[in-house]
Amino acid sequence: AAGFASIGFAAPSLLRGPVRAADGEIAICGTWELTAPGIANTAMLCERGSRLAVETVSKKIGLVATYAGLDSEGDPGKGVRKVSEQISQRNAKFFVGGASSAVALAVSKEVNKANGVYVTTGGADELTGSDCAKSTFRWPVATYGAVEGTVRPLRQLLPQAKRWFTI
């Protein structure tokens, strides 16, 4: 969430003109899977962190920003619909979220069409590979980097281990 806030607030061309709502506020939205089975507990913590980051950073730099939490329910279609509504109704251009890779991939495309900025925690390598969009920033390490950075050092540390499994 802090990374999202810094990217969003550091994009001066997006912070001028038509990005602001009629009342001068900048609309920032979190698209989290707040009621999705299996990831709702993590999504709720991400939601809280996102809200706190927007409140803290906007106060610190004197920016009038509002945060709206959107529950994608873990459904890409619902996530896209809710993001699209925020874009058309609130002129929202800044989005964070997508613990579910399926939701993140779909929302990324929608935000990119609106020339917005999307920071995601989605783990799908496609987010920075085949479906990469200029507007999307992926927070976690790609699968190859995660395995390379953890399993290889463990294999060197424990050469007697013959089988390795990752989850």
Side-chain angles (χ1 to χ4, degrees):
F4 157 73
S6 65
I7 289 171
F9 295 137
S13 64
L14 289 171
L15 294 176
R16 291 191 296 269
V19 170
R20 293 181 186 260
D23 57 8
E25 291 182 347
I26 294 177
I28 302 168
C29 302
T31 57
W32 298 105
E33 298 77 6
L34 301 173
T35 57
I39 57 175
N41 58 343
T42 301
M44 286 195 289
L45 294 173
C46 293
E47 167 70 15
R48 286 187 204 154
S50 299
R51 187 175 302 280
L52 179 62
V54 170
E55 290 171 3
T56 303
V57 173
S58 61
K59 283 179 189 173
K60 187 165 185 85
I61 66 172
L63 182 67
V64 180
T66 59
Y67 178 83
L70 312 173
D71 182 8
S72 73
E73 302 173 40
D75 181 314
K78 289 179 182 179
V80 167
R81 181 182 52 78
K82 291 177 181 186
V83 164
S84 179
E85 288 171 358
Q86 293 297 309
I87 291 168
S88 63
Q89 295 171 8
R90 297 181 62 224
N91 200 31
K93 295 287 185 182
F94 300 103
F95 296 86
V96 63
S100 159
S101 291
V103 172
L105 285 162
V107 167
S108 172
K109 291 174 184 165
E110 190 68 19
V111 173
N112 191 52
K113 283 193 306 189
N115 294 316
V117 175
Y118 179 51
V119 176
T120 182
T121 59
D125 287 340
E126 293 84 358
L127 284 163
T128 51
S130 60
D131 291 335
C132 187
K134 66 179 181 175
S135 62
T136 300
F137 299 86
R138 182 174 168 214
W139 188 259
V141 174
T143 306
Y144 176 82
V147 171
E148 188 69 18
T150 57
V151 175
R152 185 175 303 277
L154 286 172
R155 285 185 61 204
Q156 291 171 349
L157 183 66
L158 303 166
Q160 72 281 7
K162 299 298 178 202
R163 291 187 179 189
W164 291 87
F165 300 91
T166 62
I167 298 175

